[in-house]
């Protein structure tokens, strides 16, 4: 009786430890990948936000010259590449994240890049709106408020 109760307790503790470990892996996955150094928040702050802001500002009025269009293309291309990086290193936890990165962000930013290459300011604005829908889509589930 004693031993079986002890065994039962031991089993319960083992299960609890396994659940706790699993939970911390799941959080680590969102905040950071498996082996690479960069934290998700650092990528957001250092790469995604500045390029997103650059696009927002650059599209407020139609770009003045080729140099301005080229700069917009840099911003759009970096956001597009980020749609791949966000999926790397085991960082992606689920289908919401995957859809936001590989569909909304990737398609939006490639349409944005195409519009920039055609120097179509109004389509670029529309595609920028579709690109930033990805931010909300992913943050709603995965960014702590
Ligand atoms: C596929 C998921 C995903 C997408 C897409 C995404 N983010 Fe994030 N973002 C996150 C997560 C997760 C965090 C919270 C990270 C943390 O707190 O560890 C975050 C945090 C941030 C932060 C706060 C960073 C800090 O700690 O100061 C900013 C700013 C940000 N994102 C901007 C953006 C913008 C702008 C876009 C769209 C162009 C975007 N993000 C798209 C997942 C995403």
């Amino acid at each position: 009786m004693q031993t079986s109760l002890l065994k039962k307790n031991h089993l319960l503790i083992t299960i609890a430890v396994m659940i706790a470990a699993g939970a911390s892996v799941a959080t680590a996955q969102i905040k950071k990948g498996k082996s690479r150094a960069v934290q998700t928040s650092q990528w957001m702050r250092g790469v995604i936000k500045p390029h997103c802001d650059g696009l927002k500002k650059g599209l407020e009025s139609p770009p003045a010259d080729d140099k301005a269009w080229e700069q917009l293309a840099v911003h759009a291309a970096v956001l597009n590449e980020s749609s791949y990086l966000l999926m790397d290193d085991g960082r992606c936890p689920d289908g919401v994240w995957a859809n936001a990165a590989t569909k909304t962000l990737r398609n939006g930013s490639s349409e944005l890049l195409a519009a920039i290459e055609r120097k179509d300011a109004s389509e670029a604005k529309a595609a920028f709106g579709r690109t930033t829908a990805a931010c909300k889509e992913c943050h709603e589930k995965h960014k702590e408020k």
Side-chain angles (χ1 to χ4, degrees):
M1 185 65 195
Q2 274 292 69
T3 35
S4 80
L5 226 142
L6 267 174
K7 267 189 189 154
K8 208 172 157 191
N9 277 345
H10 186 80
L11 185 69
L12 285 176
I13 289 165
T14 309
I15 290 168
V17 167
M18 281 167 68
I19 290 169
S24 78
V25 165
T27 336
Q29 197 172 26
I30 291 161
K31 296 189 179 278
K32 201 176 163 296
K34 284 203 180 90
S35 61
R36 279 152 40 182
V38 74
Q39 293 167 8
T40 304
S41 72
Q42 292 170 329
W43 194 261
M44 292 291 150
R45 225 192 285 182
V47 178
I48 298 208
K49 178 85 165 47
H51 289 285
C52 197
D53 287 350
L55 284 161
K56 189 166 182 250
K57 206 158 179 290
L59 289 169
E60 268 164 13
S61 49
D65 51 24
D66 283 358
K67 228 181 127 200
W69 281 112
E70 264 170 41
Q71 188 52 47
L72 287 180
V74 170
H75 295 314
V78 172
L79 285 189
N80 187 258
E81 189 62 21
S82 292
S83 78
Y84 295 88
L85 284 156
L86 285 170
M87 297 301 293
D88 278 2
D89 200 25
R91 193 177 302 264
C92 169
D94 62 13
V96 171
W97 183 293
N99 195 74
T102 70
K103 301 251 161 54
T104 316
L105 183 60
R106 192 169 302 168
N107 297 341
S109 58
S110 64
E111 287 158 18
L112 173 58
L113 190 53
I116 291 168
E117 280 162 0
R118 292 195 309 273
K119 299 185 180 165
D120 181 343
S122 76
E123 170 52 23
K125 268 193 163 179
F128 179 59
R130 296 196 293 276
T131 304
T132 53
C135 323
K136 191 161 179 265
E137 186 180 337
C138 193
H139 290 172
E140 242 162 28
K141 176 150 191 209
H142 293 298
K143 183 170 173 282
E144 284 159 25
K145 304 218 160 62

